Amino acid sequence: MATMIEENGPSTHEQSEVSSSSQARQKLEGLLNKSMRIRMTDGRTLVGLFLCTDRDCNVILGSAQEFLKSTDTFSQGEPRVLGLAMIPGHHVVSIEVEADSLDDTQGFGANH
């Protein structure tokens, strides 16, 4: 039985997949412990610190607060403190990083 050995290392296609996945991983790692606002399919909004995610796009927020969808667009109402919360990926409508949370990051998105 013969074994094929690539003399030039991985193909260009494999290298581009690896580099794009490592760039995506670096971006996610840069968002760790940043304040995020996640809107869900049922109208609720959760705000908390981004702790982790997985392949199914489930998100774990720490120190999370829940805001119910209000009929009055100008008031969010009183938040309900949840603490640690897991949001299933299929319920996520949008994810926003709080601007003040990004200001704390030095060089986010910049080449080092």
Side-chain angles (χ1 to χ4, degrees):
M1 193 166 211
T3 304
M4 289 186 73
I5 299 173
E6 288 187 25
E7 294 178 1
N8 297 329
S11 70
T12 307
H13 179 66
E14 289 172 353
Q15 288 174 347
S16 67
E17 283 181 13
V18 170
S19 66
S20 66
S21 68
S22 65
Q23 287 176 348
R25 183 182 178 103
Q26 285 178 342
K27 279 192 175 187
L28 278 175
E29 287 175 355
L31 296 175
L32 287 173
N33 296 313
K34 301 294 182 248
S35 182
M36 291 192 159
R37 177 181 309 272
I38 299 180
R39 290 192 179 93
M40 298 173 46
T41 54
D42 62 1
R44 291 181 293 165
T45 300
L46 298 182
V47 177
L49 297 178
F50 174 61
L51 297 181
C52 74
T53 187
D54 61 13
R55 293 176 196 208
D56 298 323
C57 297
N58 300 317
V59 177
I60 304 288
L61 290 181
S63 304
Q65 295 182 329
E66 174 188 55
F67 295 88
L68 298 178
K69 186 176 182 180
S70 176
T71 55
D72 180 10
T73 57
F74 295 108
S75 69
Q76 287 275 348
E78 284 295 313
R80 183 171 78 146
V81 177
L82 301 178
L84 194 62
M86 192 281 278
I87 301 100
H90 62 274
H91 286 298
V92 174
V93 173
S94 69
I95 298 176
E96 301 172 29
V97 180
E98 299 284 314
D100 58 341
S101 180
L102 284 178
D103 292 342
D104 297 340
T105 305
Q106 295 177 357
F108 177 76
N111 294 332
H112 294 272

